[in-house]
């Protein structure tokens, strides 16, 4: 059974940093492209960033580029999202996801999803 479990969310002030983790079981993340998504209250879920399998190249939503960084630790079978210079508009539930799509895109069909971790940024 595949499980993705996010952690690390919380309440922070604008300008602070948070590091989200996504622990995987039942799949080997090095064989999957991975992504981070978020859903703000009253809004649709949106893409935040993706990392390809293999090279591990990354691609980010323009509004987080330069502030957010995705990384993987294949030895721990985990992915991370380092979020710096947080803004109130970053407030959302953050989800990690996995796809077998080698040529991953923001609109790829992600087969596996975590339950989410909540991030609240106060002004």
């Amino acid at each position: 059974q595949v499980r993705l479990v996010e952690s690390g969310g919380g309440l922070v002030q604008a300008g602070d940093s948070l590091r989200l983790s996504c622990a995987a079981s039942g799949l080997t993340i090095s064989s999957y492209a991975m992504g981070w998504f978020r859903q703000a209250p009253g809004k649709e879920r949106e893409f935040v960033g993706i990392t390809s399998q293999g090279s591990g190249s990354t691609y980010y939503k323009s509004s987080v580029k330069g502030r957010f960084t995705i990384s993987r630790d294949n030895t721990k079978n985990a992915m991370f999202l380092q979020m710096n210079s947080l803004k109130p508009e970053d407030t959302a539930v953050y989800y990690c996801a996995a796809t077998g799509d080698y040529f991953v895109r923001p609109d790829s069909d992600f087969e596996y999803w975590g339950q989410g971790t909540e991030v609240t940024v106060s002004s």
Side-chain angles (χ1 to χ4, degrees):
Q1 181 182 1
V2 174
R3 289 192 69 200
L4 299 176
V5 180
E6 303 93 338
S7 61
L11 172 63
V12 297
Q13 294 186 332
D16 286 350
S17 298
L18 275 177
R19 186 183 191 226
L20 305 185
S21 300
C22 173
S25 60
L27 63 77
T28 302
I29 67 165
S30 60
S31 299
Y32 285 79
M34 305 289 293
W36 285 99
F37 296 79
R38 67 187 182 187
Q39 186 167 19
K43 296 187 177 181
E44 293 188 353
R45 186 171 62 197
E46 65 177 5
F47 150 80
V48 174
I50 52 178
T51 175
S52 64
Q53 60 175 298
S55 68
S57 59
T58 53
Y59 177 74
Y60 299 95
K61 175 181 174 65
S62 59
S63 63
V64 308
K65 191 174 182 180
R67 299 189 297 123
F68 290 11
T69 304
I70 294 173
S71 62
R72 295 173 180 246
D73 185 337
N74 291 334
T75 64
K76 296 181 178 178
N77 211 33
M79 176 179 65
F80 306 96
L81 180 66
Q82 178 67 43
M83 305 187 295
N84 298 329
S85 302
L86 282 161
K87 303 176 181 181
E89 52 263 43
D90 295 319
T91 294
V93 177
Y94 283 72
Y95 300 88
C96 67
T99 177
D101 188 352
Y102 189 85
F103 298 104
V104 62
R105 304 172 306 278
D107 61 350
S108 289
D109 181 16
F110 283 79
E111 301 99 296
Y112 305 108
W113 292 83
Q115 83 292 344
T117 186
E118 188 169 3
V119 173
T120 303
V121 184
S122 64
S123 57

